[in-house]
Amino acid sequence: MKQYDYLIVGAGLFGASFAWRARQAGKTCLVIDRREHAGGNIYCEEIESIHVHRYGAHIFHTNNEQLWRFVNSLVPFNRYTNSPLANYRGELYNLPFNMNTFHQMWRVCTPAEALVKLEEQRAAARRRLAEQGVDEPRNLEEQALLLIGRDIYEKLIKGYTEKQWGRDCTELPAFIIRRLPVRMVFDNNYFNDAFQGIPIGGYNLLVDKLLEGCEVRLGVDYFTHRTELDNLAEKIVYTGEIDRFYDYRFGRLQWRTVRFDTEVMSMSNYQGNAVVNYTERDVPYTRIIEHKHFECFGADVDKNPHTVISREYSTEWQPGMEPYYPVNDEYNQDIADRYKQLADQETNIIFGGRLAEYKYYDMAPTMEKAFSIKIGG
Ligand SMILES: Cc1cc2nc3c(=O)[nH]c(=O)nc-3n(C[C@H](O)[C@H](O)[C@H](O)COP(=O)(O)OP(=O)(O)OC[C@H]3O[C@@H](n4cnc5c(N)ncnc54)[C@H](O)[C@@H]3O)c2cc1C
């Protein structure tokens, strides 16, 4: 008999959710993380009494009512609704593209007027391709012009996308933008899900609740103490990078990353909204996040004389940097599939979460996936 039923490598949302389920089933868990804090990428750092999303802005959203009730039973969530703005050379536009955006762009007031403008611009893009004898869009720029027309493309898509990818839109493949949903109503709510919000008091409270009753050791890298740790538990749940687990034998998986430049400001309200995208190419950052607006509303915003903002810079990933987004190309998918084949053969190790599966997961699907794993008898 080993000391624990499960060794859980990674105290992120996947590891913590699995730990909660295992505890409910009466299992003992040792959870380790190489970072000095639990929570993985949803961890919040407190600065000037504001919960700062250290690894990028996180908004919980789901259509799963049962999951929504569950997370609220651990920590009540607030009524935050994600409604980002775009700033193009000082002009402000609502996102996602909806009647407010069309009014700001063209001064149109009704859906019928907006559709006429959209169709005019789409037709111009179709004509231009036809004149060149082109049937299918050859790059992201041509695709976007067909879907949404020149005005929105140039002001709200082009510069932002080029900063994100570090390349001109004419050099990016068309498939990156398959659809550009437009809403013919005045609705700035970014998500279509029925439920969204932020835990009152921040995400750390949610993670602490999920980990209740487990032993948690922080600042411990699995690979530094692998044999010793393996001997402590019957089964392992591994949520770290899969290529590292197998000593990079098929090569390194690549990622896209973001650099955050966080600043404390001596003012109560910097931009009046949690998320503002900067859509012109000359501004080096893609977004500014003002963290207090995730949890503080109305007149309460001015009660704290400070605010904290993070400028986000899309950065080329190098080994050693934070891995944020998997690169969905053939080269990386092929390597990931080869690692997955090895992982599928393991009998005592469960691989889960964004790093081990080399897959982007929002928070709700991460929890659903962790809860779906059968706890051993
Ligand atoms: C910039 C950004 C913004 C996002 N915004 C949203 C959002 O608004 N809404 C939403 O629903 N989702 C969002 N997500 C997704 C969300 O972050 C993920 O769903 C969630 O973090 C996945 O949890 P995880 O446990 O799989 O991974 P992680 O949070 O990365 O946790 C993995 C943990 O494993 C630890 N670990 C790895 N290797 C080892 C090792 N060798 N030894 C010990 N510990 C190890 C790591 O330190 C880490 O703490 C966003 C993601 C990014 C990148």
Side-chain angles (χ1 to χ4, degrees):
M1 277 290 283
K2 295 189 175 174
Q3 200 177 335
Y4 301 93
D5 294 309
Y6 289 101
L7 165 69
I8 300 173
V9 180
L13 192 58
F14 188 95
S17 301
F18 182 90
W20 186 87
R21 269 293 304 277
R23 285 287 303 143
Q24 295 299 304
K27 304 294 179 191
T28 51
C29 302
L30 169 62
V31 185
I32 62 159
D33 204 293
R34 63 185 171 199
R35 290 175 176 166
E36 294 296 339
H37 60 76
N41 280 0
I42 70 172
Y43 168 74
C44 294
E45 186 177 8
E46 192 167 320
I47 304 177
E48 296 290 352
S49 306
I50 295 163
H51 299 124
V52 173
H53 298 203
R54 189 198 277 185
Y55 303 97
H58 278 77
I59 301 126
F60 191 91
H61 58 101
T62 184
N63 260 328
N64 179 340
E65 187 171 355
Q66 205 188 345
L67 181 68
W68 180 244
R69 280 175 199 247
F70 169 71
V71 291
N72 275 275
S73 75
L74 299 182
V75 190
F77 276 53
N78 69 21
R79 56 102 177 144
Y80 178 78
T81 303
N82 194 27
S83 27
L85 285 164
N87 181 323
Y88 176 78
R89 298 186 198 276
E91 294 168 18
L92 289 179
Y93 295 92
N94 288 109
L95 300 173
F97 306 138
N98 71 81
M99 279 303 298
N100 286 310
T101 330
F102 305 140
H103 175 70
Q104 289 145 352
M105 186 70 67
W106 299 312
R107 295 284 134 205
V108 292
C109 293
T110 65
E113 289 167 4
L115 282 171
V116 168
K117 279 304 265 185
L118 276 170
E119 195 39 46
E120 254 173 42
Q121 302 222 341
R122 288 169 176 153
R126 285 197 295 272
R127 266 199 312 278
R128 200 157 166 268
L129 285 193
E131 281 161 16
Q132 295 170 28
V134 176
D135 292 334
E136 289 294 318
R138 291 163 296 187
N139 54 51
L140 189 148
E141 175 164 302
E142 290 178 353
Q143 171 77 309
L145 289 171
L146 285 174
L147 290 170
I148 202 86
R150 184 161 296 279
D151 290 346
I152 291 182
Y153 167 69
E154 291 206 330
K155 289 190 170 181
L156 302 183
I157 297 174
K158 185 176 186 313
Y160 189 83
T161 310
E162 292 183 343
K163 285 190 283 191
Q164 267 192 321
W165 292 88
R167 276 197 280 159
D168 287 351
C169 284
T170 49
E171 292 168 24
L172 289 166
F175 75 80
I176 294 179
I177 300 189
R178 285 208 184 86
R179 297 182 324 119
L180 275 176
V182 293
R183 285 192 194 149
M184 304 317 287
V185 287
F186 293 91
D187 179 5
N188 301 326
N189 179 356
Y190 193 79
F191 297 119
N192 291 317
D193 288 332
F195 311 103
Q196 66 179 302
I198 308 280
I200 296 170
Y203 284 99
N204 300 358
L205 293 182
L206 175 70
V207 173
D208 288 349
K209 283 275 182 186
L210 288 168
L211 289 172
E212 240 170 40
C214 299
E215 185 179 337
V216 181
R217 296 185 195 167
L218 299 172
V220 178
D221 191 316
Y222 173 66
F223 297 101
T224 315
H225 309 276
R226 191 170 185 166
T227 317
E228 176 195 332
L229 288 164
D230 284 353
N231 285 333
L232 290 177
E234 302 290 340
K235 282 199 169 194
I236 298 168
V237 176
Y238 179 80
T239 76
E241 292 94 334
I242 191 149
D243 53 356
R244 186 169 177 210
F245 189 89
Y246 288 113
D247 271 332
Y248 308 108
R249 75 177 72 163
F250 302 133
R252 266 182 191 274
L253 289 162
Q254 297 167 328
W255 297 83
R256 282 167 47 224
T257 196
V258 186
R259 181 171 65 79
F260 303 102
D261 179 12
T262 294
E263 197 183 332
V264 180
M265 318 279 287
S266 297
M267 59 172 76
S268 63
N269 193 358
Y270 176 73
Q271 63 184 15
N273 203 41
V275 183
V276 179
N277 293 3
Y278 283 78
T279 56
E280 60 188 282
R281 182 135 188 198
D282 298 343
V283 175
Y285 39 86
T286 49
R287 306 197 297 182
I288 296 184
I289 304 299
E290 188 171 5
H291 301 267
K292 68 161 35 167
H293 295 299
F294 288 123
E295 292 185 64
C296 196
F297 308 105
D300 286 350
V301 169
D302 290 326
K303 286 187 184 156
N304 183 340
H306 292 100
T307 192
V308 181
I309 62 163
S310 297
R311 295 183 182 83
E312 296 188 2
Y313 298 82
S314 234
T315 310
E316 193 78 18
W317 179 83
Q318 304 286 339
M321 287 179 169
E322 284 295 339
Y324 279 124
Y325 300 102
V327 179
N328 293 318
D329 62 10
E330 238 174 82
Y331 170 82
N332 284 286
Q333 207 43 62
D334 180 54
I335 298 180
D337 288 346
R338 294 168 76 190
Y339 284 124
K340 186 173 180 313
Q341 278 171 20
L342 289 184
D344 286 345
Q345 287 160 29
E346 306 279 359
T347 50
N348 242 9
I349 307 168
I350 295 160
F351 293 83
R354 62 183 200 98
L355 297 168
E357 295 182 55
Y358 193 63
K359 194 165 170 192
Y360 178 84
Y361 278 114
D362 270 334
M363 289 181 276
T366 299
M367 296 185 82
E368 285 163 352
K369 192 83 195 281
F371 290 154
S372 74
I373 291 167
K374 193 169 168 287
I375 307 290

